[in-house]
Amino acid sequence: MRLTRYTDLALRAVMRLAVLDGGELLTTKQISQSMNVPYAHMAKAIAHLQHLGVLEARRGRNGGLTLTEAGRGFRVGRLVRALEGDREAVTCEGEQPCPLSGACRLRRALREAQEAFYASLDHLTVDDLAGSPTGPVLLALGVRQA
């Protein structure tokens, strides 16, 4: 199973925000710079996370992003499902549909494997992802050395 780059960026963003103390905020620009990814890509992922209720954005001079309480407890499997959408592991339709689509056992087996992958992530929360040894590394991201 391979996750899209989009899901990877969104997970990195929530992990980065999960290590902040309650009063600290980061901007999308700061997160994209610390993760070394294009701002536009991160902004799209941030918008989706806001829509899911994982993040909260505060506008203005002292604004920024923070993880919501619901976001801290969000199950990683559920989050990945929401970010990835209902895509199947293999595409059987399209311009040249697979001739086996009506009698194929592979498609079902791959769908079950995909669900098992997501289910294996369901025991983790966003807060779990930011635990040690990851947390200290996340906190150091974006810190400039003098």
Side-chain angles (χ1 to χ4, degrees), residues 28 43 45-58 65:
T28 302
I46 293 292
H48 194 170
L49 291 167
Q50 284 178 263
H51 177 74
L52 293 172
V54 176
L55 303 180
E56 179 183 324
R58 297 182 191 155
L65 301 166

Side-chain angles (χ1 to χ4, degrees), residues 6-7 48 52 54 74 76-86 118:
Y6 177 77
T7 298
H48 194 170
L52 293 172
V54 176
F74 221 90
V76 177
R78 178 177 166 212
L79 182 57
V80 171
R81 282 180 190 92
L83 294 166
E84 287 288 309
D86 197 25
Y118 292 147

Side-chain angles (χ1 to χ4, degrees), residues 24-55:
E24 193 176 358
L25 302 174
L26 288 177
T27 65
T28 302
K29 183 178 180 180
Q30 290 170 316
I31 295 171
S32 67
Q33 288 175 341
S34 69
M35 295 296 173
N36 198 27
V37 297
Y39 172 82
H41 295 150
M42 185 60 75
K44 184 177 177 185
I46 293 292
H48 194 170
L49 291 167
Q50 284 178 263
H51 177 74
L52 293 172
V54 176
L55 303 180

Side-chain angles (χ1 to χ4, degrees), residues 27-134:
T27 65
T28 302
K29 183 178 180 180
Q30 290 170 316
I31 295 171
S32 67
Q33 288 175 341
S34 69
M35 295 296 173
N36 198 27
V37 297
Y39 172 82
H41 295 150
M42 185 60 75
K44 184 177 177 185
I46 293 292
H48 194 170
L49 291 167
Q50 284 178 263
H51 177 74
L52 293 172
V54 176
L55 303 180
E56 179 183 324
R58 297 182 191 155
R59 295 193 178 271
R61 182 181 176 128
N62 296 318
L65 301 166
T66 187
L67 205 56
T68 64
E69 279 305 312
R72 289 191 175 283
F74 221 90
R75 297 287 170 183
V76 177
R78 178 177 166 212
L79 182 57
V80 171
R81 282 180 190 92
L83 294 166
E84 287 288 309
D86 197 25
R87 294 184 311 114
E88 292 209 30
V90 65
T91 305
C92 299
E93 285 80 30
E95 286 183 30
Q96 296 179 337
C98 177
L100 301 176
S101 64
C104 184
R105 296 176 70 186
L106 177 62
R107 184 178 188 181
R108 180 175 177 202
L110 290 173
R111 184 67 167 173
E112 289 172 0
Q114 181 181 23
E115 185 51 40
F117 172 76
Y118 292 147
S120 73
L121 297 172
D122 281 335
H123 74 280
L124 292 169
T125 65
V126 168
D127 263 352
D128 292 335
L129 293 180
S132 188
T134 308

